[in-house]
């Protein structure tokens, strides 16, 4: 499918009913216009959206659009300007439940103290009954056009269900024979930084980060020569993270499937468990985990035989006809403190609201 470089207002209207978008680079957006056709497999080079649930199955993981566009910031701004978003009312949110998180926290610590598990990442949500319609989608896209360049803006929706946000986490990126990813784990809210050790000197945060970085490196190295660079501090609007870049050169004799590799990498210990072979399906029995749907799941687009990008779907809002949710997760290790983690969870959700224009 050949990319089109201009989008008519009528196509933008269709896109707001059923579509997907990705900021793939500076001033560069990929837009997919639906309705999407669900498939169990995707051909090499086929334009496709990949968005399974966190507890991934194999059916209907790929979504094939009707049309594919490459647009600039300005192109998207002009399209959004055609819809008045000034009369939208704020969404009312029901706070996340500390009791649910406490149950998950204690269960994970018990498993860690038994010796085999080293880390796991529970999720909590706050919810709203407010409707996410095309006007609200446009309002959030307008805000996301201003997102800092170290965030990947992404989103997809169809039949009244969707997801939209901006994540710093790349699960996997393909540029020809080069695969790129990164490890992001270890967090400090900016407003707490003056009262805490630097992330680069914090044993708990460094331990959590190393578990993630080593796992991703070992998983990626099966495809060719891999190398790492880091850790360093990644600065976002309200949060600081530890980040390590990881790169791999594909071996010439390796059969390679981009989305197959994404399935292999998911979930990294940044959103799953460490060690990986401990398994993560047991987490679905913890409060709120089974209902996480696409939160923390792979979310990606392939647009040529050697160009594809798959993200870790965090820092977003999810919705369906019953309402919307914003989730946040934190890595629990042996040294974790319940109240510090609870505060981190709040700050992460708050950063999402600010990013989407849902909180001033």
């Amino acid at each position: 499918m050949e990319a089109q470089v201009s989008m008519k207002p009528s196509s933008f209207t269709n896109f707001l009913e059923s579509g997907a978008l990705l900021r793939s680079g500076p001033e560069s957006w990929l837009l997919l216009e639906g309705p999407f056709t669900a498939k169990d497999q995707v051909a090499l080079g086929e334009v496709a959206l990949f968005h399974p649930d966190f507890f991934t199955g194999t059916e209907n993981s790929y979504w094939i659009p009707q049309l594919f566009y490459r647009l600039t910031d300005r192109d998207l701004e002009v399209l959004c300007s055609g819809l008045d978003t000034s009369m939208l009312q704020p969404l009312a949110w029901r706070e996340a439940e500390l009791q649910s998180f406490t149950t998950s926290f204690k269960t994970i610590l018990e498993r860690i103290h038994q010796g085999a598990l080293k880390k796991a990442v529970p999720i909590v949500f706050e919810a709203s009954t407010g409707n996410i319609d095309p006007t609200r989608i446009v309002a959030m896209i307008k805000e996301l056009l201003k997102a800092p360049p170290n965030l990947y803006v992404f989103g997809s929706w169809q039949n009244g269900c969707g997801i939209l946000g901006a994540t710093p986490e790349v699960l996997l990126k393909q540029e020809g024979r080069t695969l790129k990813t990164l490890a992001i784990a270890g967090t400090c809210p900016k407003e707490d930084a003056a009262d805490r050790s630097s992330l680069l000197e914090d044993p708990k945060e460094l331990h959590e980060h190393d578990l993630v970085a080593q796992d991703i490196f070992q998983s990626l190295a099966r495809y060719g020569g891999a190398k790492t660079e880091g850790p360093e501090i990644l600065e976002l609007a309200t949060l600081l993270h530890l980040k390590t870049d990881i790169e791999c050169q594909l071996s010439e004799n390796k059969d390679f499937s981009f989305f197959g590799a994404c399935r292999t990498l998911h979930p990294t210990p940044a959103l799953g468990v460490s060690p990986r072979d401990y398994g993560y399906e047991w987490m679905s029995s913890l409060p709120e985990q089974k209902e996480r749907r696409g939160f923390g799941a792979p979310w990606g687009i392939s647009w040529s035989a050697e160009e594809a990008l798959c993200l870790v779907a965090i820092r977003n809002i999810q919705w369906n006809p019953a309402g919307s949710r914003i989730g946040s997760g934190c890595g629990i290790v042996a040294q974790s403190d319940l109240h510090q983690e609870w505060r981190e969870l709040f700050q992460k959700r708050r950063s999402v609201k600010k990013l989407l224009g849902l909180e001033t």
Side-chain angles (χ1 to χ4, degrees):
M1 185 185 302
E2 186 174 346
Q4 301 186 42
V5 294
S6 64
M7 183 183 245
K8 296 178 180 178
S10 59
S11 294
F12 188 62
T13 299
N14 294 337
F15 160 81
L16 292 175
E17 292 292 340
S18 177
L21 85 168
L22 169 66
R23 187 170 69 180
S24 57
E27 294 281 325
S28 179
W29 294 79
L30 307 179
L31 271 65
L32 308 184
E33 181 185 343
F36 294 97
T37 302
K39 293 181 66 175
D40 293 342
Q41 296 182 339
V42 61
L44 182 66
E46 187 173 17
V47 177
L49 168 67
F50 175 62
H51 184 33
D53 283 350
F54 180 83
F55 296 102
T56 59
T58 57
E59 295 183 356
N60 294 347
S61 294
Y62 306 106
W63 301 88
I64 311 304
Q66 302 298 313
L67 294 167
F68 165 46
Y69 303 84
R70 289 183 182 269
L71 302 181
T72 66
D73 283 2
R74 181 58 182 161
D75 295 331
L76 192 51
E77 287 171 359
V78 169
L79 289 166
C80 288
S81 68
L83 194 59
D84 182 11
T85 59
S86 62
M87 302 302 291
L88 283 171
Q89 297 299 308
L91 297 177
W93 294 95
R94 184 178 70 251
E95 276 294 336
E97 296 181 4
L98 177 58
Q99 183 177 353
S100 293
F101 176 67
T102 301
T103 299
S104 296
F105 183 89
K106 290 181 177 179
T107 300
I108 290 167
L109 277 187
E110 287 173 3
R111 287 178 174 252
I112 290 173
H113 291 150
Q114 290 168 3
L117 181 66
K118 294 181 180 179
K119 176 191 175 183
V121 183
I123 304 300
V124 295
F125 291 95
E126 55 183 280
S128 171
T129 56
N131 185 35
I132 306 296
D133 60 11
T135 304
R136 181 81 64 179
I137 292 173
V138 168
M140 292 189 291
I141 292 174
K142 287 178 179 179
E143 295 296 324
L144 290 168
L145 277 159
K146 300 179 286 189
N150 53 8
L151 294 179
Y152 288 90
V153 177
F154 71 100
S156 53
W157 47 86
Q158 181 164 268
N159 298 328
C161 301
I163 186 170
L164 181 63
T167 175
E169 292 202 35
V170 174
L171 184 64
L172 193 62
K173 183 177 185 179
Q174 182 178 8
E175 298 174 342
R177 302 296 295 178
T178 301
L179 303 179
K180 296 181 178 180
T181 185
L182 47 79
I184 295 180
T187 301
C188 177
K190 274 188 176 180
E191 61 187 57
D192 295 352
D195 299 321
R196 289 177 52 179
S197 300
S198 165
L199 288 174
L200 291 169
E201 298 174 352
D202 187 317
K204 180 263 179 185
E205 304 295 344
L206 285 168
H207 172 62
E208 180 185 341
H209 181 80
D210 187 60
L211 290 174
V212 176
Q214 289 299 320
D215 173 272
I216 296 175
F217 175 83
Q218 292 167 9
S219 297
L220 201 60
R222 72 185 65 187
Y223 299 107
K227 61 181 181 180
T228 65
E229 184 176 341
E232 61 185 27
I233 291 179
L234 171 65
E235 181 176 351
L236 302 178
T238 60
L239 300 168
L240 302 172
H241 297 289
L242 288 172
K243 175 178 79 79
T244 292
D245 292 302
I246 305 169
E247 185 173 306
C248 171
Q249 293 298 317
L250 276 172
S251 299
E252 293 295 337
N253 60 348
K254 287 275 188 182
D255 289 330
F256 179 72
S257 162
F258 178 80
F259 290 130
C262 293
R263 290 187 182 277
T264 298
L265 286 170
H266 172 76
T268 74
L271 266 294
V273 303
S274 178
R276 185 182 289 263
D277 58 13
Y278 188 92
Y280 73 101
E281 293 291 344
W282 61 273
M283 291 183 64
S284 65
S285 66
L286 298 178
E288 300 193 66
Q289 309 312 302
K290 193 171 184 179
E291 293 77 30
R292 61 193 294 165
R293 301 196 300 268
F295 185 88
W299 188 103
I301 293 177
S302 63
W303 58 94
S304 78
E306 296 186 334
E307 289 181 293
L309 175 63
C310 189
L311 307 171
V312 179
I314 60 172
R315 313 292 165 85
N316 59 67
I317 184 171
Q318 296 186 88
W319 67 89
N320 61 27
S324 54
R325 303 187 305 166
I326 293 177
S328 57
C330 61
I332 306 302
V333 296
Q335 306 96 317
S336 292
D337 174 80
L338 174 66
H339 298 291
Q340 181 173 311
E341 301 296 345
W342 183 246
R343 178 170 174 76
E344 177 184 315
L345 289 166
F346 170 79
Q347 292 289 357
K348 286 178 176 177
R349 294 193 306 277
R350 185 183 179 193
S351 72
V352 174
K353 289 179 182 178
K354 288 181 176 294
L355 195 67
L356 295 172
L358 300 175
E359 179 177 295
T360 57

